[in-house]
Amino acid sequence: MTATTAATEPTAGQTTGGHPQRWLILGVICLAQLTVLLDNTVLSVAIPSLTSELHASTTDIQWMINAYSLVQSGLLLTAGNAADRYGRKKLLAAGLALFGLGSLAAGLAGTTAQLIAARAGMGVGGALLMTTTLAVVMQIFDDSERVKAIALWSTVASLGFAGGPLIGGVILDHFWWGMIFLVNLPVAAVALVAVLKLVPESKNPQGERPDLLGALLSTLGMTAAVYAIITGPEHGWTSAEVLLPAAVGVLVLGAFALWELRTPHPMLDMHFFRNQKFVGAVAGSILVVFGMGGSLFLLTQHLQFVLGYEPLEAGLRMAPLALTIVALNLTGIGPRIVTRLGTPPTVVLGMTLVAGGLTSIALLGGGTDGSYGGMLLGLLLMGGGIAVSSPAMANAIMSAIPPEKAGVGAGVNGTLAEFGNGLGVAVLGAVLNARFATLVAVTATSLPAALAAAGTDAERAGISDAFASGLQASQLVGAIAVFAGGLLAAALLHRAERSEKRSAAVAAEPDTAAA
């Protein structure tokens, strides 16, 4: 066998559980992924430093954050397709190198324009890493251990989300803002060496030619759609600044779908969406991230602006969610639930817990009296639900896609996470703003601005109460959406499993008759 392992061929040792060094390789790629995910949130705590030292405006800060997210989300499908064609190990190594170089440029940036450009470069590396890590997991683990491996891989995403503000706060307590980027360099270097030494190469054995037009359309369409979602709260959902990119995104993604149906070598086979297992997992994945992303975005504001916690203190109070996910998946409880109950019941259980967590936060932890108990209960329930449901749905998505398309499958999974997170922030934020506007007659566009404009303590208290009421309404909307989505996803997955069993039984009948 050559050094390049075809996606459909077993690597050495696969008959006894996969690649012989699979757990060490998993640790390496999770380390690489954690670095990327931390940079999604770590910048939030450095905003005051960037404002004072680089004289960054509000627009500059928004582009520092958005440049990374826009580039990464826009390139996920293209990066996954490139990994399938040219080799997942090669693209993983390239992603680490680009991410490291981008981090170096960001840490040494002397102007806001340089930092924005460096963040965009980091987004390219991040897209390559996000798609290749999950694709490699699918290649080196067999069916008996894959759910557990994906659970550990999913755990890293939660650590990255919750750990960014904590790590950023600790670094900024001792160093200047550039260290939040330069700390990536030794991690990226170690991970790059380990990838080159340990990770086996794999790619699509058919060697399909690249779908260049599909790559262009998917990148432009996703970038426009994500831009509209993340800038909606700032410009207003009916403004031209939002409606124009939203329309461009819809039109371009529609053109992408039509092209993929016609081209002989599609980047994303649209026939995947005829697979009920794939569609059910897609629906569930979007809604889990929808509830978690929107809820945590609003809770972070509530903890800081209403309850008065510093960023590091707020991050510590959000940590139970990530710790619950880590505890359940590292101990193997989450994967065992999937194995024993099956995917559809596990999805129902997980989504019900997430919905229950959102409800607890809304009814018990959304006030202005400083109560944390209801919020803690909600975070624990959400953590349990995410630990159970996310690996099950990620495994369902990846198992519904042919092994030789594992990179594209990982790109779809990553795109869903970006889309669901942005949609959650947009929709739940809109619910909060609508409720807030009906309770308080202010012209300010944000809670801090409204509090600053208030003339008396009574006015400020009324504004805080109105924001808390809006938070409660938004969390309840999220809970309903997550619970209903869980039932829908489970129903589709159950129907898909029944269909697969019937097909297997029909296929076995000729063999039985011949015997």
Side-chain angles (χ1 to χ4, degrees), residues 12-413:
Q14 193 160 349
T15 56
T16 58
H19 192 279
Q21 294 180 301
R22 58 196 178 279
W23 294 108
L24 180 58
I25 295 172
L26 178 64
V28 170
I29 61 179
C30 283
L31 179 64
Q33 184 196 11
L34 178 61
T35 307
V36 175
L37 292 165
L38 285 173
D39 266 78
N40 280 319
T41 55
V42 72
L43 195 64
S44 60
V45 297
I47 289 175
S49 300
L50 293 170
T51 302
S52 60
E53 296 183 31
L54 287 184
H55 307 291
S57 65
T58 301
T59 302
D60 292 331
I61 295 295
Q62 289 169 341
W63 275 109
M64 289 173 192
I65 296 171
N66 294 342
Y68 183 79
S69 300
L70 282 173
V71 172
Q72 180 174 284
S73 58
L75 288 175
L76 281 169
L77 282 177
T78 302
N81 180 257
D84 287 337
R85 173 171 171 76
Y86 299 110
R88 300 173 186 111
K89 177 178 179 177
K90 292 185 184 71
L91 272 294
L92 178 55
L96 280 166
L98 287 172
F99 191 80
L101 291 173
S103 298
L104 177 62
L108 300 179
T111 66
T112 56
Q114 291 174 359
L115 182 52
I116 291 169
R119 290 278 292 170
M122 293 171 68
V124 177
L128 292 171
L129 288 170
M130 291 294 290
T131 51
T132 50
T133 51
L134 182 55
V136 169
V137 170
M138 295 299 294
Q139 299 302 317
I140 63 176
F141 287 91
D142 68 1
D143 292 340
S144 65
E145 294 180 321
R146 191 168 291 147
V147 173
K148 182 178 180 181
I150 291 177
L152 295 174
W153 180 88
S154 299
T155 299
V156 174
S158 302
L159 278 175
F161 191 93
L166 293 176
I167 294 174
V170 171
I171 291 174
L172 291 174
D173 279 345
H174 298 87
F175 302 99
W176 100 108
W177 63 265
M179 280 302 295
I180 64 175
F181 300 110
L182 297 181
V183 73
N184 295 333
L185 295 179
V187 178
V190 170
L192 179 59
V193 172
V195 164
L196 293 175
K197 184 175 179 60
L198 296 173
V199 175
E201 184 60 284
S202 63
K203 61 183 180 180
N204 188 341
Q206 296 178 358
E208 295 178 353
R209 66 188 182 203
D211 178 12
L212 297 179
L213 181 58
L216 177 63
L217 291 173
S218 71
T219 301
L220 291 177
M222 282 302 305
T223 302
V226 173
Y227 176 82
I229 290 173
I230 64 180
T231 58
E234 175 194 357
H235 296 298
W237 296 104
T238 58
S239 65
E241 291 91 341
V242 174
L243 292 179
L244 181 59
V248 170
V250 170
L251 290 174
V252 174
L253 289 175
F256 168 73
L258 291 175
W259 170 253
E260 296 301 288
L261 287 169
R262 295 181 179 182
T263 183
H265 300 285
M267 186 174 78
L268 174 62
D269 189 346
M270 302 305 292
H271 294 97
F272 290 154
F273 291 93
R274 295 179 180 176
N275 186 324
Q276 292 179 342
K277 183 177 182 181
F278 179 79
V279 173
V282 163
S285 294
I286 289 177
L287 286 166
V288 163
V289 182
F290 172 93
M292 182 179 73
S295 173
L296 296 187
F297 170 75
L298 298 175
L299 279 178
T300 301
Q301 296 183 62
H302 183 77
L303 286 167
Q304 295 184 61
F305 297 144
V306 177
L307 301 183
Y309 293 115
E310 294 297 322
L312 184 57
E313 295 174 325
L316 287 171
R317 282 162 178 79
M318 300 291 288
L321 182 143
L323 294 176
T324 302
I325 298 173
V326 172
L328 290 178
N329 283 335
L330 287 183
T331 57
I333 295 175
R336 280 199 293 271
I337 291 175
V338 180
T339 303
R340 292 182 181 180
L341 297 183
T343 300
T346 300
V347 169
V348 172
L349 173 62
M351 302 285 266
T352 300
L353 288 173
V354 173
L358 290 168
T359 303
S360 174
I361 292 170
L363 301 181
L364 304 176
T368 58
D369 59 354
S371 173
Y372 180 65
M375 190 178 294
L376 175 61
L377 174 61
L379 292 171
L380 293 175
L381 289 173
M382 288 178 65
I386 293 166
V388 169
S389 60
S390 290
M393 288 183 292
N395 185 61
I397 289 174
M398 297 301 291
S399 61
I401 290 178
E404 64 271 15
K405 297 283 189 179
V408 170
V412 170
N413 190 69

